[in-house]
């Protein structure tokens, strides 16, 4: 019989928020009930777990952009976008 995955509890989610100082783990933005989203450090799609140690609190917009990337990959893509957008446009 397949093992059921244990869900992260509300208490564990609250602990994650408190540990992060109610700030997004990727941007440092202050999080509010209407902006917080919980994200897997290692996405489930690539073998991550549902364990609390694999969860971080992020801004909901950031989580939507990050999708199924790991943090390092997401940050690398963001750097490429930022660097490209600073380059002068060619005529």
């Amino acid at each position: 019989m397949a093992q059921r995955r244990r869900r992260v509890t509300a208490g564990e989610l609250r602990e994650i928020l408190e540990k992060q100082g109610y700030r997004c783990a990727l941007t440092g933005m202050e999080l509010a009930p209407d902006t917080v989203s919980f994200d897997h450090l290692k996405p489930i799609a690539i073998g991550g777990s549902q364990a609390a140690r694999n969860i971080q609190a992020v801004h909901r917009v950031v989580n939507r952009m990050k999708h199924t990337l790991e943090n390092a990959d997401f940050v690398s893509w963001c750097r490429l976008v930022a660097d490209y957008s600073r380059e002068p446009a060619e005529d």
Side-chain angles (χ1 to χ4, degrees):
M1 180 182 273
Q3 235 182 356
R4 278 184 65 131
R5 291 184 176 175
R6 185 183 77 77
R7 290 194 176 275
V8 178
T9 67
E12 289 171 319
L13 295 176
R14 193 172 19 263
E15 286 177 21
I16 291 166
L17 273 169
E18 289 171 359
K19 183 179 175 186
Q20 291 181 208
Y22 294 86
R23 299 232 169 241
C24 174
L26 292 168
T27 66
M29 293 173 65
E30 189 172 336
L31 296 172
D34 63 329
T35 62
V36 70
S37 181
F38 292 96
D39 173 56
H40 294 94
L41 291 160
K42 182 174 184 175
I44 298 295
I46 59 171
S49 75
Q50 293 283 8
R53 69 181 174 276
N54 190 42
I55 304 290
Q56 63 185 348
V58 296
H59 192 282
R60 64 182 172 82
V61 173
V62 172
N63 197 11
R64 197 173 308 128
M65 289 186 288
K66 183 177 173 276
H67 194 51
T68 59
L69 295 173
E70 291 189 70
N71 283 1
D73 294 331
F74 175 69
V75 170
S76 292
W77 280 106
C78 289
R79 284 191 179 121
L80 288 171
V81 170
D83 290 347
Y84 182 78
S85 67
R86 282 193 289 259
E87 292 178 8
E90 292 184 28
D91 292 331

